[in-house]
Amino acid sequence: MRQINQTQVTEFFLLGLSDDPLTQQLLFILFLGVYLVTVLGNLLLISLVQVDSWLHTPMYFFLCNLSLADLCFSTNIVPQALVHLLSRKKVISFTRCAAQLLLFLIFGCTQCALLVVMSYDRYVAICNTLHYPSIMTWRMCLQLATGSWTSGILVSVVDTTFTLRLPYQGSNSIAHFFCEAPALLILASTDTRISEMAIFLMGVVILLIPVSLVLVSYGRIIVTVVKMKSAAGRLKAFSTCGSHLMVVTLFYGSAIVTYMTPKSSKEQEKLVSVFYAMVTPMLNPLIYSLRNKDVKGALRKVATRNFRCQLEITH
């Protein structure tokens, strides 16, 4: 990095996950596979919801929003990480780093809000079945989705502002594979306690409060499901909610470890970040599709329709 003492850093050097060439090549193959599955899985899920009228329901509308956020979240991080795994000079400009941080937080915080909305949707569907159509109208769905994206933007702007307002005039080596707030704050050449407190408070707003609401919703759902007389009804309810709970546990668990717990080793933080930045966006569509009969049915219908079209063309 070319700089004069006590001048603002203009670019950062990302240390990545490993400096061993063989390990980097293996990670490149692994991450490329994960990213391709992420893109194809989320695009497929969004496409199925769009083309199949049976999936035009609030639950799948919110699932489309979650898939879009997952897709953007992963695309903001993985392509650059792949390029750096094959590059000797793992440099990112200050401006690009700021943009990556902002987008990372926008899509990540939006996911947090959407998971709460999806749990509320399941709560109303199971605990207030008769009133579900009148409560979860399309107007309400649009408002909840818009509120999720808006809250994600607002929280991300606060976190990004408190991270980038600090002077960065010393080391420019980030012990990470992308620009994340905790890794950047370590490099600030001034006291970071106010910024850390602001980020922690935003974490309470977008992580701890939402996960508490999710737990309350599912606590009431479990009580309602247990009281159901129909075994088939209980099985269907637990199957639908089980998929959502799995996603919630994976995403919130790893994010809380990073932002809401005492700092652990840098290597452990990077591994946790790999999990929620790369693995979770890939798992979400797989979890919802493999455990959901409606999605599998829609996929079969689309496949059958395409097969028939191919037969008609050939004949």
Side-chain angles (χ1 to χ4, degrees), residues 134-164:
S134 60
I135 295 175
M136 297 304 294
T137 61
W138 282 113
R139 181 179 180 182
M140 173 62 75
C141 291
L142 287 172
Q143 290 176 342
L144 290 173
T146 302
S148 297
W149 285 93
T150 302
S151 64
I153 292 172
L154 292 176
V155 172
S156 65
V157 168
V158 172
D159 279 3
T160 303
T161 300
F162 274 92
T163 300
L164 300 180

PDB file of all heavy atoms in Angstrom, residues 134-164:
ATOM      1  N   SER A 134     -57.702 -12.942   6.120  1.00  0.00           N
ATOM      2  CA  SER A 134     -58.021 -11.538   6.368  1.00  0.00           C
ATOM      3  C   SER A 134     -56.842 -10.774   6.981  1.00  0.00           C
ATOM      4  O   SER A 134     -56.750  -9.552   6.849  1.00  0.00           O
ATOM      5  CB  SER A 134     -59.238 -11.429   7.298  1.00  0.00           C
ATOM      6  OG  SER A 134     -58.978 -12.060   8.551  1.00  0.00           O
ATOM      7  N   ILE A 135     -55.935 -11.504   7.660  1.00  0.00           N
ATOM      8  CA  ILE A 135     -54.765 -10.855   8.271  1.00  0.00           C
ATOM      9  C   ILE A 135     -53.624 -10.733   7.263  1.00  0.00           C
ATOM     10  O   ILE A 135     -53.080  -9.652   7.049  1.00  0.00           O
ATOM     11  CB  ILE A 135     -54.291 -11.639   9.508  1.00  0.00           C
ATOM     12  CG1 ILE A 135     -55.362 -11.611  10.607  1.00  0.00           C
ATOM     13  CG2 ILE A 135     -52.977 -11.050  10.037  1.00  0.00           C
ATOM     14  CD1 ILE A 135     -55.028 -12.461  11.818  1.00  0.00           C
ATOM     15  N   MET A 136     -53.272 -11.848   6.623  1.00  0.00           N
ATOM     16  CA  MET A 136     -52.135 -11.860   5.693  1.00  0.00           C
ATOM     17  C   MET A 136     -52.618 -11.553   4.275  1.00  0.00           C
ATOM     18  O   MET A 136     -52.515 -12.377   3.361  1.00  0.00           O
ATOM     19  CB  MET A 136     -51.415 -13.212   5.748  1.00  0.00           C
ATOM     20  CG  MET A 136     -50.797 -13.529   7.094  1.00  0.00           C
ATOM     21  SD  MET A 136     -49.633 -12.257   7.680  1.00  0.00           S
ATOM     22  CE  MET A 136     -48.334 -12.402   6.477  1.00  0.00           C
ATOM     23  N   THR A 137     -53.141 -10.350   4.117  1.00  0.00           N
ATOM     24  CA  THR A 137     -53.536  -9.900   2.779  1.00  0.00           C
ATOM     25  C   THR A 137     -52.278  -9.550   1.988  1.00  0.00           C
ATOM     26  O   THR A 137     -51.193  -9.397   2.550  1.00  0.00           O
ATOM     27  CB  THR A 137     -54.446  -8.672   2.878  1.00  0.00           C
ATOM     28  OG1 THR A 137     -53.716  -7.605   3.518  1.00  0.00           O
ATOM     29  CG2 THR A 137     -55.689  -8.977   3.692  1.00  0.00           C
ATOM     30  N   TRP A 138     -52.438  -9.373   0.658  1.00  0.00           N
ATOM     31  CA  TRP A 138     -51.271  -9.020  -0.140  1.00  0.00           C
ATOM     32  C   TRP A 138     -50.737  -7.637   0.230  1.00  0.00           C
ATOM     33  O   TRP A 138     -49.536  -7.389   0.140  1.00  0.00           O
ATOM     34  CB  TRP A 138     -51.603  -9.095  -1.629  1.00  0.00           C
ATOM     35  CG  TRP A 138     -51.606 -10.503  -2.122  1.00  0.00           C
ATOM     36  CD1 TRP A 138     -52.671 -11.234  -2.560  1.00  0.00           C
ATOM     37  CD2 TRP A 138     -50.471 -11.376  -2.198  1.00  0.00           C
ATOM     38  NE1 TRP A 138     -52.281 -12.509  -2.893  1.00  0.00           N
ATOM     39  CE2 TRP A 138     -50.933 -12.625  -2.685  1.00  0.00           C
ATOM     40  CE3 TRP A 138     -49.120 -11.236  -1.890  1.00  0.00           C
ATOM     41  CZ2 TRP A 138     -50.086 -13.704  -2.875  1.00  0.00           C
ATOM     42  CZ3 TRP A 138     -48.265 -12.322  -2.077  1.00  0.00           C
ATOM     43  CH2 TRP A 138     -48.756 -13.537  -2.572  1.00  0.00           C
ATOM     44  N   ARG A 139     -51.631  -6.768   0.671  1.00  0.00           N
ATOM     45  CA  ARG A 139     -51.174  -5.452   1.117  1.00  0.00           C
ATOM     46  C   ARG A 139     -50.300  -5.590   2.362  1.00  0.00           C
ATOM     47  O   ARG A 139     -49.242  -4.958   2.468  1.00  0.00           O
ATOM     48  CB  ARG A 139     -52.374  -4.555   1.416  1.00  0.00           C
ATOM     49  CG  ARG A 139     -51.983  -3.153   1.877  1.00  0.00           C
ATOM     50  CD  ARG A 139     -53.202  -2.301   2.139  1.00  0.00           C
ATOM     51  NE  ARG A 139     -52.827  -0.969   2.585  1.00  0.00           N
ATOM     52  CZ  ARG A 139     -53.695  -0.010   2.920  1.00  0.00           C
ATOM     53  NH1 ARG A 139     -55.000  -0.239   2.817  1.00  0.00           N
ATOM     54  NH2 ARG A 139     -53.259   1.167   3.324  1.00  0.00           N
ATOM     55  N   MET A 140     -50.730  -6.443   3.294  1.00  0.00           N
ATOM     56  CA  MET A 140     -49.946  -6.681   4.500  1.00  0.00           C
ATOM     57  C   MET A 140     -48.610  -7.332   4.150  1.00  0.00           C
ATOM     58  O   MET A 140     -47.556  -6.964   4.709  1.00  0.00           O
ATOM     59  CB  MET A 140     -50.726  -7.585   5.462  1.00  0.00           C
ATOM     60  CG  MET A 140     -49.935  -8.025   6.684  1.00  0.00           C
ATOM     61  SD  MET A 140     -49.411  -6.646   7.729  1.00  0.00           S
ATOM     62  CE  MET A 140     -50.969  -6.229   8.519  1.00  0.00           C
ATOM     63  N   CYS A 141     -48.620  -8.269   3.219  1.00  0.00           N
ATOM     64  CA  CYS A 141     -47.375  -8.936   2.806  1.00  0.00           C
ATOM     65  C   CYS A 141     -46.383  -7.930   2.224  1.00  0.00           C
ATOM     66  O   CYS A 141     -45.187  -7.974   2.530  1.00  0.00           O
ATOM     67  CB  CYS A 141     -47.682 -10.027   1.777  1.00  0.00           C
ATOM     68  SG  CYS A 141     -48.568 -11.441   2.455  1.00  0.00           S
ATOM     69  N   LEU A 142     -46.881  -7.041   1.370  1.00  0.00           N
ATOM     70  CA  LEU A 142     -46.018  -6.020   0.773  1.00  0.00           C
ATOM     71  C   LEU A 142     -45.452  -5.093   1.837  1.00  0.00           C
ATOM     72  O   LEU A 142     -44.276  -4.708   1.789  1.00  0.00           O
ATOM     73  CB  LEU A 142     -46.791  -5.217  -0.275  1.00  0.00           C
ATOM     74  CG  LEU A 142     -47.091  -5.942  -1.590  1.00  0.00           C
ATOM     75  CD1 LEU A 142     -48.035  -5.105  -2.456  1.00  0.00           C
ATOM     76  CD2 LEU A 142     -45.796  -6.227  -2.355  1.00  0.00           C
ATOM     77  N   GLN A 143     -46.276  -4.737   2.805  1.00  0.00           N
ATOM     78  CA  GLN A 143     -45.815  -3.858   3.882  1.00  0.00           C
ATOM     79  C   GLN A 143     -44.743  -4.541   4.728  1.00  0.00           C
ATOM     80  O   GLN A 143     -43.733  -3.911   5.095  1.00  0.00           O
ATOM     81  CB  GLN A 143     -47.002  -3.453   4.762  1.00  0.00           C
ATOM     82  CG  GLN A 143     -47.974  -2.497   4.079  1.00  0.00           C
ATOM     83  CD  GLN A 143     -49.190  -2.198   4.933  1.00  0.00           C
ATOM     84  OE1 GLN A 143     -49.506  -2.933   5.886  1.00  0.00           O
ATOM     85  NE2 GLN A 143     -49.907  -1.132   4.599  1.00  0.00           N
ATOM     86  N   LEU A 144     -44.947  -5.822   5.040  1.00  0.00           N
ATOM     87  CA  LEU A 144     -43.963  -6.556   5.842  1.00  0.00           C
ATOM     88  C   LEU A 144     -42.641  -6.739   5.084  1.00  0.00           C
ATOM     89  O   LEU A 144     -41.556  -6.595   5.665  1.00  0.00           O
ATOM     90  CB  LEU A 144     -44.533  -7.922   6.244  1.00  0.00           C
ATOM     91  CG  LEU A 144     -45.666  -7.897   7.268  1.00  0.00           C
ATOM     92  CD1 LEU A 144     -46.262  -9.291   7.444  1.00  0.00           C
ATOM     93  CD2 LEU A 144     -45.172  -7.374   8.614  1.00  0.00           C
ATOM     94  N   ALA A 145     -42.745  -7.045   3.798  1.00  0.00           N
ATOM     95  CA  ALA A 145     -41.527  -7.204   2.991  1.00  0.00           C
ATOM     96  C   ALA A 145     -40.790  -5.876   2.853  1.00  0.00           C
ATOM     97  O   ALA A 145     -39.557  -5.814   3.012  1.00  0.00           O
ATOM     98  CB  ALA A 145     -41.881  -7.760   1.616  1.00  0.00           C
ATOM     99  N   THR A 146     -41.540  -4.808   2.593  1.00  0.00           N
ATOM    100  CA  THR A 146     -40.925  -3.477   2.475  1.00  0.00           C
ATOM    101  C   THR A 146     -40.285  -3.063   3.796  1.00  0.00           C
ATOM    102  O   THR A 146     -39.174  -2.506   3.817  1.00  0.00           O
ATOM    103  CB  THR A 146     -41.975  -2.436   2.061  1.00  0.00           C
ATOM    104  OG1 THR A 146     -42.566  -2.819   0.815  1.00  0.00           O
ATOM    105  CG2 THR A 146     -41.348  -1.062   1.910  1.00  0.00           C
ATOM    106  N   GLY A 147     -40.976  -3.352   4.894  1.00  0.00           N
ATOM    107  CA  GLY A 147     -40.425  -3.032   6.210  1.00  0.00           C
ATOM    108  C   GLY A 147     -39.137  -3.797   6.493  1.00  0.00           C
ATOM    109  O   GLY A 147     -38.211  -3.259   7.109  1.00  0.00           O
ATOM    110  N   SER A 148     -39.072  -5.040   6.029  1.00  0.00           N
ATOM    111  CA  SER A 148     -37.867  -5.852   6.235  1.00  0.00           C
ATOM    112  C   SER A 148     -36.676  -5.250   5.503  1.00  0.00           C
ATOM    113  O   SER A 148     -35.582  -5.101   6.076  1.00  0.00           O
ATOM    114  CB  SER A 148     -38.109  -7.284   5.744  1.00  0.00           C
ATOM    115  OG  SER A 148     -39.124  -7.912   6.487  1.00  0.00           O
ATOM    116  N   TRP A 149     -36.883  -4.893   4.229  1.00  0.00           N
ATOM    117  CA  TRP A 149     -35.785  -4.301   3.454  1.00  0.00           C
ATOM    118  C   TRP A 149     -35.406  -2.922   3.997  1.00  0.00           C
ATOM    119  O   TRP A 149     -34.226  -2.574   4.063  1.00  0.00           O
ATOM    120  CB  TRP A 149     -36.187  -4.197   1.980  1.00  0.00           C
ATOM    121  CG  TRP A 149     -36.171  -5.516   1.269  1.00  0.00           C
ATOM    122  CD1 TRP A 149     -37.227  -6.372   1.100  1.00  0.00           C
ATOM    123  CD2 TRP A 149     -35.038  -6.157   0.660  1.00  0.00           C
ATOM    124  NE1 TRP A 149     -36.826  -7.492   0.421  1.00  0.00           N
ATOM    125  CE2 TRP A 149     -35.500  -7.392   0.131  1.00  0.00           C
ATOM    126  CE3 TRP A 149     -33.711  -5.808   0.508  1.00  0.00           C
ATOM    127  CZ2 TRP A 149     -34.653  -8.272  -0.542  1.00  0.00           C
ATOM    128  CZ3 TRP A 149     -32.857  -6.687  -0.162  1.00  0.00           C
ATOM    129  CH2 TRP A 149     -33.324  -7.893  -0.675  1.00  0.00           C
ATOM    130  N   THR A 150     -36.403  -2.158   4.426  1.00  0.00           N
ATOM    131  CA  THR A 150     -36.126  -0.823   4.970  1.00  0.00           C
ATOM    132  C   THR A 150     -35.328  -0.907   6.261  1.00  0.00           C
ATOM    133  O   THR A 150     -34.360  -0.158   6.465  1.00  0.00           O
ATOM    134  CB  THR A 150     -37.439  -0.060   5.211  1.00  0.00           C
ATOM    135  OG1 THR A 150     -38.177   0.032   3.989  1.00  0.00           O
ATOM    136  CG2 THR A 150     -37.166   1.336   5.737  1.00  0.00           C
ATOM    137  N   SER A 151     -35.726  -1.814   7.145  1.00  0.00           N
ATOM    138  CA  SER A 151     -34.996  -1.966   8.413  1.00  0.00           C
ATOM    139  C   SER A 151     -33.568  -2.431   8.156  1.00  0.00           C
ATOM    140  O   SER A 151     -32.632  -1.989   8.836  1.00  0.00           O
ATOM    141  CB  SER A 151     -35.719  -2.965   9.322  1.00  0.00           C
ATOM    142  OG  SER A 151     -35.743  -4.262   8.752  1.00  0.00           O
ATOM    143  N   GLY A 152     -33.395  -3.315   7.161  1.00  0.00           N
ATOM    144  CA  GLY A 152     -32.056  -3.763   6.811  1.00  0.00           C
ATOM    145  C   GLY A 152     -31.181  -2.615   6.340  1.00  0.00           C
ATOM    146  O   GLY A 152     -30.005  -2.515   6.716  1.00  0.00           O
ATOM    147  N   ILE A 153     -31.758  -1.734   5.538  1.00  0.00           N
ATOM    148  CA  ILE A 153     -31.004  -0.578   5.029  1.00  0.00           C
ATOM    149  C   ILE A 153     -30.647   0.374   6.164  1.00  0.00           C
ATOM    150  O   ILE A 153     -29.502   0.844   6.264  1.00  0.00           O
ATOM    151  CB  ILE A 153     -31.822   0.152   3.947  1.00  0.00           C
ATOM    152  CG1 ILE A 153     -31.950  -0.731   2.698  1.00  0.00           C
ATOM    153  CG2 ILE A 153     -31.184   1.492   3.584  1.00  0.00           C
ATOM    154  CD1 ILE A 153     -32.900  -0.195   1.655  1.00  0.00           C
ATOM    155  N   LEU A 154     -31.605   0.659   7.041  1.00  0.00           N
ATOM    156  CA  LEU A 154     -31.368   1.609   8.130  1.00  0.00           C
ATOM    157  C   LEU A 154     -30.279   1.117   9.087  1.00  0.00           C
ATOM    158  O   LEU A 154     -29.362   1.861   9.449  1.00  0.00           O
ATOM    159  CB  LEU A 154     -32.670   1.864   8.899  1.00  0.00           C
ATOM    160  CG  LEU A 154     -33.765   2.624   8.138  1.00  0.00           C
ATOM    161  CD1 LEU A 154     -35.033   2.711   8.977  1.00  0.00           C
ATOM    162  CD2 LEU A 154     -33.279   4.022   7.758  1.00  0.00           C
ATOM    163  N   VAL A 155     -30.376  -0.148   9.504  1.00  0.00           N
ATOM    164  CA  VAL A 155     -29.376  -0.701  10.424  1.00  0.00           C
ATOM    165  C   VAL A 155     -28.005  -0.739   9.770  1.00  0.00           C
ATOM    166  O   VAL A 155     -26.981  -0.418  10.401  1.00  0.00           O
ATOM    167  CB  VAL A 155     -29.788  -2.111  10.888  1.00  0.00           C
ATOM    168  CG1 VAL A 155     -28.658  -2.767  11.684  1.00  0.00           C
ATOM    169  CG2 VAL A 155     -31.047  -2.045  11.742  1.00  0.00           C
ATOM    170  N   SER A 156     -27.959  -1.101   8.495  1.00  0.00           N
ATOM    171  CA  SER A 156     -26.671  -1.180   7.797  1.00  0.00           C
ATOM    172  C   SER A 156     -26.027   0.184   7.651  1.00  0.00           C
ATOM    173  O   SER A 156     -24.793   0.311   7.755  1.00  0.00           O
ATOM    174  CB  SER A 156     -26.856  -1.820   6.414  1.00  0.00           C
ATOM    175  OG  SER A 156     -27.651  -0.995   5.587  1.00  0.00           O
ATOM    176  N   VAL A 157     -26.830   1.220   7.413  1.00  0.00           N
ATOM    177  CA  VAL A 157     -26.284   2.569   7.293  1.00  0.00           C
ATOM    178  C   VAL A 157     -25.663   3.009   8.622  1.00  0.00           C
ATOM    179  O   VAL A 157     -24.571   3.603   8.642  1.00  0.00           O
ATOM    180  CB  VAL A 157     -27.381   3.564   6.854  1.00  0.00           C
ATOM    181  CG1 VAL A 157     -26.903   5.005   7.014  1.00  0.00           C
ATOM    182  CG2 VAL A 157     -27.765   3.311   5.390  1.00  0.00           C
ATOM    183  N   VAL A 158     -26.334   2.687   9.723  1.00  0.00           N
ATOM    184  CA  VAL A 158     -25.796   3.048  11.044  1.00  0.00           C
ATOM    185  C   VAL A 158     -24.474   2.319  11.301  1.00  0.00           C
ATOM    186  O   VAL A 158     -23.469   2.929  11.679  1.00  0.00           O
ATOM    187  CB  VAL A 158     -26.814   2.712  12.155  1.00  0.00           C
ATOM    188  CG1 VAL A 158     -26.171   2.911  13.537  1.00  0.00           C
ATOM    189  CG2 VAL A 158     -28.051   3.580  12.025  1.00  0.00           C
ATOM    190  N   ASP A 159     -24.465   0.995  11.082  1.00  0.00           N
ATOM    191  CA  ASP A 159     -23.248   0.215  11.328  1.00  0.00           C
ATOM    192  C   ASP A 159     -22.099   0.669  10.436  1.00  0.00           C
ATOM    193  O   ASP A 159     -20.957   0.813  10.890  1.00  0.00           O
ATOM    194  CB  ASP A 159     -23.531  -1.266  11.087  1.00  0.00           C
ATOM    195  CG  ASP A 159     -24.220  -1.922  12.271  1.00  0.00           C
ATOM    196  OD1 ASP A 159     -24.525  -1.209  13.240  1.00  0.00           O
ATOM    197  OD2 ASP A 159     -24.451  -3.142  12.237  1.00  0.00           O
ATOM    198  N   THR A 160     -22.408   0.899   9.160  1.00  0.00           N
ATOM    199  CA  THR A 160     -21.362   1.315   8.222  1.00  0.00           C
ATOM    200  C   THR A 160     -20.809   2.693   8.586  1.00  0.00           C
ATOM    201  O   THR A 160     -19.598   2.931   8.530  1.00  0.00           O
ATOM    202  CB  THR A 160     -21.910   1.340   6.780  1.00  0.00           C
ATOM    203  OG1 THR A 160     -22.431   0.049   6.452  1.00  0.00           O
ATOM    204  CG2 THR A 160     -20.817   1.697   5.789  1.00  0.00           C
ATOM    205  N   THR A 161     -21.700   3.600   8.969  1.00  0.00           N
ATOM    206  CA  THR A 161     -21.275   4.951   9.336  1.00  0.00           C
ATOM    207  C   THR A 161     -20.353   4.930  10.546  1.00  0.00           C
ATOM    208  O   THR A 161     -19.290   5.582  10.544  1.00  0.00           O
ATOM    209  CB  THR A 161     -22.501   5.833   9.635  1.00  0.00           C
ATOM    210  OG1 THR A 161     -23.325   5.901   8.466  1.00  0.00           O
ATOM    211  CG2 THR A 161     -22.064   7.239  10.026  1.00  0.00           C
ATOM    212  N   PHE A 162     -20.730   4.167  11.574  1.00  0.00           N
ATOM    213  CA  PHE A 162     -19.908   4.117  12.784  1.00  0.00           C
ATOM    214  C   PHE A 162     -18.607   3.344  12.562  1.00  0.00           C
ATOM    215  O   PHE A 162     -17.653   3.516  13.334  1.00  0.00           O
ATOM    216  CB  PHE A 162     -20.692   3.486  13.935  1.00  0.00           C
ATOM    217  CG  PHE A 162     -21.533   4.474  14.695  1.00  0.00           C
ATOM    218  CD1 PHE A 162     -22.860   4.693  14.346  1.00  0.00           C
ATOM    219  CD2 PHE A 162     -21.002   5.203  15.744  1.00  0.00           C
ATOM    220  CE1 PHE A 162     -23.637   5.615  15.031  1.00  0.00           C
ATOM    221  CE2 PHE A 162     -21.758   6.119  16.434  1.00  0.00           C
ATOM    222  CZ  PHE A 162     -23.091   6.342  16.076  1.00  0.00           C
ATOM    223  N   THR A 163     -18.547   2.525  11.525  1.00  0.00           N
ATOM    224  CA  THR A 163     -17.312   1.809  11.221  1.00  0.00           C
ATOM    225  C   THR A 163     -16.363   2.670  10.392  1.00  0.00           C
ATOM    226  O   THR A 163     -15.161   2.760  10.679  1.00  0.00           O
ATOM    227  CB  THR A 163     -17.622   0.505  10.450  1.00  0.00           C
ATOM    228  OG1 THR A 163     -18.463  -0.328  11.246  1.00  0.00           O
ATOM    229  CG2 THR A 163     -16.331  -0.247  10.130  1.00  0.00           C
ATOM    230  N   LEU A 164     -16.902   3.342   9.370  1.00  0.00           N
ATOM    231  CA  LEU A 164     -16.052   4.076   8.428  1.00  0.00           C
ATOM    232  C   LEU A 164     -15.765   5.514   8.840  1.00  0.00           C
ATOM    233  O   LEU A 164     -14.937   6.176   8.215  1.00  0.00           O
ATOM    234  CB  LEU A 164     -16.700   4.064   7.035  1.00  0.00           C
ATOM    235  CG  LEU A 164     -16.907   2.672   6.431  1.00  0.00           C
ATOM    236  CD1 LEU A 164     -17.546   2.781   5.067  1.00  0.00           C
ATOM    237  CD2 LEU A 164     -15.579   1.921   6.337  1.00  0.00           C
TER     238      LEU A 164
END
